[in-house]
Amino acid sequence: MTVVHFQDVSKKFGRTKALNNATFSIEENKITGLIGRNGAGKTTILNIISGFIQATSEEVKVFSEKPFNSLLVSANSILVDDKMSMPSLNLKGILIEAGRFYEKWDASLAQRLFEYFSFDENQSHDTLSKGKKSTFNMIIGLASRCPLTVFDEPTTGMDEAVRNDFYRALLKDYLAHPRTILLSSHHLNEMEDLLEEVLLIKDGETHLHMPIEDLKNYAIAFKGKAELVKESTKDQSILYQKTHGPDQMYIVSKNTYSEETLQRIKRSGMEISNVTPSEVCVYLTSSSKGGIDDVFS
C-alpha cells in the first residue's frame, strides 16, 4: 500500500520556492532516508506530509487522503523534530498524555527507555538540554508506534553513544513492529544500515529515489595518472574530480562499467574503489564537480 504520494508538489513561502514539482511515493512498512542539503526542502516535505502546512500546488495523499487538517493523518502519524514543545507538563505527565492520544502507545517501552536514559519524571521539557530533549522526543516517536513515524533530524545534540542507541532502538522496535518510518538526517553514514531506500532532494526537487543497495553501487572512484583516469572515464557521467599533484587525478563517475572493463582498468595500474552512499549524495547535490577546491582554482 502507498502511504505517501507526492505528484508535482510545489510550495512557496513568499517569493521563495521551497519545493518545485516534487514527485515520489513511499510504500508502507519501509524505513526511508530523506536526504538533502540545508534548504533543499526536506522539512517542508515532512510538514506537508504531517498535515501542518498546505502545498501551494499539489496532489498530496497520505493514507489515501489529503493530509492538511486531516484527523485520520493526525491520529496515525507523528512528526518528531526539535520544534516539539510541551511547556505545561512535566516529563511524566507528557508520557501519560501521549498514551491517551496514540492508539498503539507502548507505555512499557516508553518507561524502559525513560529509565535507560536517566530522565527525571518531574523535570519539564523546556528545561532539557538540546541533546536530552532530542532523546526524550525520540522516546515519544518510538513508543507512539504510529503507522507513519517521521523523524526530522532526530539526533540533533545527541552524543555519539546516544545516537548509536537511538538507531539500535529504532531498528529493534521496527523489526518487532513494522511501520512506515521517514528519517531526515545529515548523518547518512550513521544510519545507512537501517535504511531500505533513500529519497534525495535537491533544490526542492526529487533528485533520486532508490533502494539503499542500489545506491551503494551507484558510483565508482578511479585514482591514478591523470591521463589514464581521464581516458577511462571519458563519456561517463562525472560526479566529482580533483587533482593530486602534477600528474595524479581522482574521479568519481556513475558506475556503468562491466566487471571485465573494471579488471582491465585495474591492470593498467589505476586504483578503483567503492563510493559510499553518503559520498554519492554529497557529490550529487554539490554545485560543482570539484567541491570547495574549485574556489581556489
Side-chain angles (χ1 to χ4, degrees):
M1 183 183 84
T2 299
V3 174
V4 177
H5 176 70
F6 270 44
Q7 182 66 47
D8 297 326
V9 177
S10 297
K11 176 62 180 177
K12 287 184 177 180
F13 295 98
R15 295 183 178 180
T16 301
K17 200 165 192 177
L19 293 181
N20 184 25
N21 298 324
T23 299
F24 61 87
S25 293
I26 295 174
E27 303 302 312
E28 68 176 342
N29 298 339
K30 286 187 176 183
I31 303 180
T32 300
L34 180 62
I35 309 301
R37 300 205 170 195
N38 289 333
K42 303 189 302 298
T43 295
T44 301
I45 286 174
L46 299 184
N47 278 307
I48 291 174
I49 289 173
S50 302
F52 294 147
I53 62 175
Q54 194 168 13
T56 305
S57 62
E58 43 84 28
E59 181 186 330
V60 180
K61 294 293 179 64
V62 178
F63 302 121
S64 300
E65 73 172 54
K66 293 185 177 182
F68 186 67
N69 285 340
S70 166
L71 290 177
L72 174 68
V73 173
S74 295
N76 289 279
S77 67
I78 184 171
L79 171 60
V80 179
D81 62 12
D82 60 5
K83 297 180 181 65
M84 293 176 74
S85 180
M86 308 164 224
S88 60
L89 297 172
N90 60 25
L91 300 185
K92 180 180 180 180
I94 293 171
L95 296 183
I96 292 172
E97 292 304 317
R100 292 174 177 169
F101 184 80
Y102 294 108
E103 181 183 1
K104 297 183 179 181
W105 178 259
D106 189 329
S108 176
L109 174 63
Q111 187 61 37
R112 294 196 306 272
L113 290 171
F114 191 86
E115 293 171 359
Y116 177 82
F117 290 109
S118 303
F119 282 101
D120 177 355
E121 63 182 24
N122 294 311
Q123 193 170 6
S124 68
H125 189 265
D126 284 356
T127 62
L128 296 174
S129 68
K130 181 179 289 188
K132 292 291 281 187
K133 188 176 290 186
S134 292
T135 305
F136 182 79
N137 294 347
M138 171 266 292
I139 294 174
I140 300 294
L142 291 180
S144 70
R145 296 264 169 81
C146 285
L148 175 58
T149 301
V150 180
F151 292 97
D152 188 9
E153 299 292 345
T155 60
T156 299
M158 293 182 185
D159 60 37
E160 183 176 359
V162 177
R163 291 202 305 271
N164 290 336
D165 281 341
F166 164 68
Y167 293 129
R168 182 68 175 166
L170 186 150
L171 179 59
K172 288 179 72 69
D173 199 58
Y174 169 77
L175 292 174
H177 303 276
R179 62 264 209 194
T180 305
I181 297 178
L182 274 174
L183 273 171
S184 172
S185 177
H186 288 95
H187 300 286
L188 178 57
N189 58 325
E190 291 183 356
M191 67 180 192
E192 66 179 62
D193 290 337
L194 293 173
L195 303 179
E196 294 169 78
E197 59 183 24
V198 170
L199 173 59
L200 181 64
I201 303 298
K202 180 180 180 181
D203 300 329
E205 300 178 358
T206 305
H207 193 68
L208 174 150
H209 188 191
M210 65 171 53
I212 187 70
E213 292 304 317
D214 291 348
L215 189 59
K216 290 178 180 179
N217 298 307
Y218 185 87
I220 194 163
F222 301 90
K223 182 180 178 182
K225 290 186 177 181
E227 183 179 351
L228 289 176
V229 172
K230 288 180 179 180
E231 177 63 26
S232 297
T233 57
K234 69 178 182 180
D235 302 324
Q236 298 295 320
S237 177
I238 305 301
L239 307 182
Y240 177 75
Q241 63 184 39
K242 65 178 179 180
T243 56
H244 287 273
D247 191 37
Q248 296 287 307
M249 178 168 279
Y250 176 84
I251 284 183
V252 175
S253 82
K254 191 171 179 180
N255 187 7
T256 58
Y257 297 85
S258 67
E259 186 60 32
E260 181 181 358
T261 300
L262 291 177
Q263 291 301 322
R264 176 178 56 78
I265 293 173
K266 279 184 179 180
R267 289 193 294 270
S268 70
M270 264 193 296
E271 295 179 31
I272 299 178
S273 58
N274 294 323
V275 183
T276 68
S278 180
E279 291 172 323
V280 170
C281 290
V282 170
Y283 298 147
L284 286 174
T285 56
S286 177
S287 59
S288 67
K289 292 183 174 62
I292 192 66
D293 289 354
D294 286 348
V295 176
F296 298 94
S297 62

